[in-house]
Amino acid sequence: MLSYRHAFHAGNHADVLKHFVQVQLHLYMNQKDVAYTYIDTHSGAGVYALDSFQATKTGEYDTGIGPLWNATDVPEALKPYLDLVRGMNPSGKMRYYPGSPYVADQMSRLDDRLRLFELHPADVKILSENVRKAEAHRAEQGERARGKRVLIEHGDGFQSLKKLLPPPSRRALVLVDPPYEVKDDYKKVRDALEEALGRFPAGMYAVWYPVLQRMESRQFPDKLKRLPAKEWLNVTLTVSTPGPDGIGLHSSGMFILNPPYTLEAMLRETMPYLVQVLGKDAGARFTIETGTQLTGAASARLAGEGPRAPVGNARRASPLSGKGSLRLPGQSMVREGEAAAPAVPKTGARRVWHPDGSVQGKAGGAGEGGKRPPAAGATGARSAAPRADGARTNGPRTAGPRPAGPRSGGKGGGKR
């Protein structure tokens, strides 16, 4: 269980997505003067040497920070992240790559609190030493140190959320990034976030996860969409087509609960560039989904496709039919002996933008090609609304009598 060492994977395409998004979350949190608490449930070592044995053995940084190192025409939103990486390599040679604790230390203010957790005994020692060196460097530069505002604990970050939430300032940014070595990690993430939201609903929670062929990975985003957060955003980056053996990490995602309202538009301007630079073949792509807690589940929809179709709790029982039938707002009432009027169909479950500018839409398994709209006016490709029982449907709904017996439905359970 403790065999995972992130040093073998530092700086890969998944790290680029994770830390780029993390930088943007810190920038958003920094807009208010009130201090906040940053909680990292799986901190790792904090800093990684790209010329170490572990990093050179896999060379995964060539799939991520490597192609971006000398890039000059980068989107504006990527610059703070790249400036941070270049700042820890003042010689101009790419030798070091930051972990999430280093990103937090550099992007947060001195009055903000950092709470860092790591279970691996070797990595927690390295993390403590790296934090000590950072504090010593500040002292040499005549800067005020964080002191006790940084706490490192050799322990389970999942369990630690219970004692840290709600934070004293009522502002928190939580990063959850377990190894996902065992399938239980997926359930632990979901359960920990559900409890955290119960303790502190206003917190911002960011979850990194691998996109793999195993069932737990495929179902994971949909289970996170059912958490009781006001809003959510899910972004994935795929750099190549997965091989038939399913080995290797080709895609990853960041799922943010209570995301900044500015994040979606920024991602739509930046993700096509990452696909273009990091993509290895025609399978390279990205997806962005957003939704709200309207139904307690995924309630996202495609923007710009016309009038909003009623979803989730907009679907209600008719008091006049006498049989508990369901109808959508705007539908005529179905009376005995009459045919049901069809609901407005909802199509376009997802749009995927490719580096060549084409856009592929999926609805009920059928795709429809097109051109990506200009970035300035781009709107979100979002998942189709679910039925009240949690299953997805892209076809029209019809009113009719409710089947006898209890209704089905309910919340679902539940590193590379």
Side-chain angles (χ1 to χ4, degrees):
M1 181 177 178
L2 293 177
S3 62
Y4 178 84
R5 302 296 299 277
H6 189 63
F8 289 96
H9 314 285
N12 65 4
H13 60 88
D15 266 0
V16 169
L17 175 64
K18 175 173 62 178
H19 296 139
F20 156 57
V21 172
Q22 183 188 352
V23 166
Q24 291 298 320
L25 299 183
H26 281 291
L27 289 173
Y28 181 81
M29 296 290 286
N30 293 347
Q31 292 179 15
K32 287 187 178 181
D33 293 335
V34 180
Y36 61 90
T37 299
Y38 169 80
I39 304 172
D40 199 325
T41 62
H42 298 76
S43 297
V47 176
Y48 302 95
L50 297 181
D51 55 1
S52 67
F53 165 76
Q54 294 96 328
T56 55
K57 182 178 181 179
T58 59
E60 289 192 22
Y61 53 86
D62 285 333
T63 71
I65 190 59
L68 292 170
W69 180 249
N70 294 316
T72 55
D73 57 340
V74 300
E76 198 66 28
L78 264 180
K79 291 180 180 179
Y81 159 69
L82 293 177
D83 288 344
L84 186 151
V85 179
R86 293 185 179 119
M88 65 188 307
N89 295 277
S91 67
K93 181 181 179 181
M94 186 174 60
R95 292 192 57 203
Y96 301 104
Y97 186 81
S100 50
Y102 185 92
V103 173
D105 181 63
Q106 294 296 305
M107 296 304 302
S108 58
R109 292 84 50 94
L110 283 177
D111 289 333
D112 299 325
R113 301 183 179 191
L114 275 59
R115 300 293 183 258
L116 313 176
F117 300 89
E118 176 56 44
L119 265 177
H120 198 289
D123 278 352
V124 76
K125 291 180 180 179
I126 299 174
L127 174 62
S128 299
E129 182 64 15
N130 284 329
V131 170
R132 185 195 65 78
K133 289 179 180 179
E135 293 289 88
H137 178 73
R138 280 198 178 94
E140 291 175 358
Q141 302 299 317
E143 299 179 10
R144 181 166 61 93
R146 289 184 186 272
K148 293 184 178 180
R149 292 183 180 87
V150 179
L151 294 181
I152 302 170
E153 184 174 323
H154 181 201
D156 188 341
F158 290 133
Q159 296 297 322
S160 300
L161 283 176
K162 299 178 181 179
K163 64 183 179 183
L164 293 176
L165 298 176
S169 65
R170 296 302 191 269
R171 300 188 71 214
L173 170 58
V174 179
L175 177 63
V176 183
D177 179 26
Y180 298 99
E181 285 185 294
V182 293
K183 63 175 67 176
D184 286 349
D185 278 348
Y186 295 93
K187 185 178 186 301
K188 286 181 179 179
V189 171
R190 187 215 173 269
D191 291 348
L193 289 173
E194 183 172 40
E195 183 167 1
L197 286 164
R199 292 174 176 269
F200 188 50
M204 188 184 298
Y205 303 88
V207 182
W208 179 90
Y209 65 96
V211 179
L212 305 173
Q213 295 183 19
R214 61 190 302 180
M215 186 190 334
E216 293 83 10
S217 177
R218 295 198 307 267
Q219 296 177 344
F220 189 55
D222 284 339
K223 291 182 178 180
L224 295 183
K225 293 171 186 177
R226 292 175 170 85
L227 288 171
K230 184 178 179 181
E231 295 180 348
W232 55 262
L233 183 148
N234 183 35
V235 54
T236 67
L237 171 64
T238 301
V239 297
S240 62
T241 304
D245 55 5
I247 298 176
L249 181 66
H250 308 275
S251 181
S252 67
M254 283 291 284
F255 197 103
I256 300 96
L257 300 163
N258 299 324
Y261 72 94
T262 56
L263 185 60
E264 180 184 359
M266 181 274 297
L267 289 172
R268 296 206 174 279
E269 294 178 355
T270 309
M271 294 305 294
Y273 177 85
L274 290 179
V275 171
Q276 179 182 1
V277 175
L278 304 183
K280 302 298 182 183
D281 57 32
R285 65 188 185 278
F286 75 94
T287 62
I288 298 173
E289 298 175 292
T290 61
T292 68
Q293 198 195 350
L294 283 177
T295 65
S299 59
R301 63 187 177 89
L302 273 170
E305 61 175 286
R308 180 171 183 172
V311 298
N313 56 10
R315 188 170 181 258
R316 59 181 179 266
S318 165
L320 302 179
S321 64
K323 295 184 178 181
S325 63
L326 303 179
R327 70 183 180 97
L328 299 175
Q331 270 190 333
S332 58
M333 181 61 59
V334 180
R335 302 186 183 278
E336 197 168 339
E338 295 180 350
V344 179
K346 189 168 185 63
T347 60
R350 181 184 297 169
R351 287 178 184 164
V352 180
W353 289 353
H354 295 285
D356 60 1
S358 62
V359 55
Q360 179 183 2
K362 297 181 181 179
E368 183 177 356
K371 289 295 181 180
R372 177 167 63 86
T379 54
R382 309 186 181 184
S383 63
R387 297 199 309 248
D389 61 1
R392 295 185 181 280
T393 176
N394 296 326
R397 298 172 182 162
T398 57
R402 179 186 297 165
R407 296 182 64 185
S408 62
K411 295 183 179 180
K415 219 168 193 169
R416 305 173 279 288

